[in-house]
Amino acid sequence: MTQPPGPPHELARRVAGVVAAIPPGRVLSYKDVAELAECRSARLVGTLMARNPTGAQLPWWRVVTVQGTLADHLQAEARERYREEGTPLLEDERHLVRVDMARALWVPEDPGA
């Protein structure tokens, strides 16, 4: 019999807290989330979000690369969510969704968000 997973690591809770605080129509990059959550790695933020050890319902589409993109397999669902939230978008040469980072980047008033 397998053991149930233990409590989420504090870092996972901090990442989840930052992601949950991003308002609709705004985004942060993985790097931004890492800095706000006091994590040394943007890649680790991506891993934590993919595994979601906290079990929280997180707005994953609000965390993108520094170029404003998401993985191809997330494009369709993210595009729909961006339209619902009014997130500023750009279309790239492959007609994939890309967030307009200059207009959509969220700058939290409280850096400890």
Side-chain angles (χ1 to χ4, degrees):
M1 181 188 276
T2 59
Q3 292 283 337
H9 188 272
E10 178 59 31
L11 177 58
R13 285 192 290 273
R14 290 196 313 260
V15 167
V18 170
V19 173
I22 304 169
R26 308 295 277 196
V27 298
L28 287 175
S29 71
Y30 289 98
K31 179 182 175 193
D32 296 327
V33 173
E35 289 174 5
L36 290 167
E38 298 177 359
C39 174
R40 297 189 323 216
S41 169
R43 182 166 285 166
L44 180 54
V45 168
T47 299
L48 287 170
M49 288 185 61
R51 293 185 180 159
N52 194 10
T54 66
Q57 294 295 317
L58 298 175
W60 54 265
W61 59 93
R62 296 181 192 153
V63 182
V64 297
T65 68
V66 293
Q67 295 83 21
T69 60
L70 284 168
D72 288 353
H73 71 281
L74 300 173
Q75 291 284 320
E77 185 176 353
R79 182 184 300 265
E80 198 57 39
R81 290 178 185 268
Y82 293 144
R83 284 188 180 140
E84 289 171 5
E85 294 184 357
T87 307
L89 300 177
L90 301 168
E91 196 168 288
D92 73 6
E93 63 279 356
R94 295 187 304 159
H95 304 289
L96 295 176
V97 68
R98 184 164 60 102
V99 173
D100 184 343
M101 294 298 283
R103 293 175 41 217
L105 185 65
W106 178 53
V107 180
E109 292 179 24
D110 177 10

